[in-house]
Amino acid sequence: MIRQRIARFERIYRAREAELDQRMTELARRRAEEDAHRRRLEAAREMRHRAEADFMSLCGTVSARDMWMMRSSIDLAAQEVESAGSDLSRCMEEIERTMEAVTESHRDLKVLESFMGRLRSRLAAEESRVEQSMLDEMALRLRGGGVLDEA
């Protein structure tokens, strides 16, 4: 009976281990996404900085259309910075949720390990008790030729 319970919990443990591996893979993927979002944000900031520097460097007579175009490029760059920042924030929130799931999986595995350890200890104690009982019975038979009375 205890062996069956141990076998059942070992199957559950393997399933939870596979779940943990999947979550760890997901975490690695999300961290790679985070790096990509950080690079995108940095590139957008550089683009905005260049657009602002170009606008500031305007000298002489510049048409209203050219000024409007330059200002539009600054606005577009600022929107890209904002978009990249919000994408990075969402990605970091997803990483946080994934890390919580990984932590929960680790906790579940530790609980299962502990429980299976207690079951194995009970099984070993029971097997030891049965073995000792058999040895005692054998010793009684060898000494007196009698059978141990169950009283």
Side-chain angles (χ1 to χ4, degrees):
M1 169 113 162
I2 292 178
R3 284 186 196 280
Q4 293 169 342
R5 290 180 74 190
I6 291 172
R8 185 174 64 227
F9 281 106
E10 284 175 344
R11 286 190 303 273
I12 292 169
Y13 185 85
R14 285 191 300 273
R16 296 284 170 90
E17 255 183 337
E19 183 180 301
L20 174 62
D21 289 344
Q22 184 180 22
R23 287 179 174 171
M24 293 296 285
T25 301
E26 181 181 347
L27 181 60
R29 183 184 57 79
R30 290 194 189 281
R31 288 208 168 130
E33 285 177 9
E34 177 189 17
D35 289 342
H37 286 301
R38 286 187 189 282
R39 287 190 302 275
R40 178 178 162 225
L41 179 59
E42 187 58 37
R45 285 178 177 159
E46 288 176 21
M47 185 175 77
R48 182 184 66 192
H49 180 69
R50 281 193 307 271
E52 288 171 347
D54 289 347
F55 186 76
M56 296 295 199
S57 69
L58 291 176
C59 55
T61 57
V62 177
S63 69
R65 182 180 189 290
D66 289 341
M67 285 186 74
W68 182 82
M69 292 293 283
M70 293 293 283
R71 186 64 205 169
S72 293
S73 69
I74 291 173
D75 291 344
L76 183 63
Q79 288 173 353
E80 179 61 21
V81 167
E82 186 177 321
S83 173
S86 66
D87 289 347
L88 178 60
S89 293
R90 272 193 303 277
C91 183
M92 291 176 73
E93 288 170 2
E94 291 171 1
I95 286 173
E96 184 66 30
R97 282 192 296 274
T98 304
M99 287 178 66
E100 288 171 4
V102 166
T103 302
E104 183 69 26
S105 291
H106 274 293
R107 192 175 307 121
D108 288 348
L109 286 176
K110 289 294 181 191
V111 167
L112 283 171
E113 284 174 2
S114 174
F115 183 70
M116 288 185 336
R118 287 193 308 271
L119 284 177
R120 286 185 182 109
S121 294
R122 281 179 43 198
L123 177 62
E126 186 176 316
E127 286 176 343
S128 178
R129 184 186 56 77
V130 168
E131 182 180 352
Q132 187 61 46
S133 175
M134 289 173 53
L135 289 173
D136 290 347
E137 187 176 325
M138 285 174 45
L140 283 175
R141 285 185 183 185
L142 287 175
R143 282 195 174 180
V147 177
L148 182 63
D149 289 329
E150 298 284 330

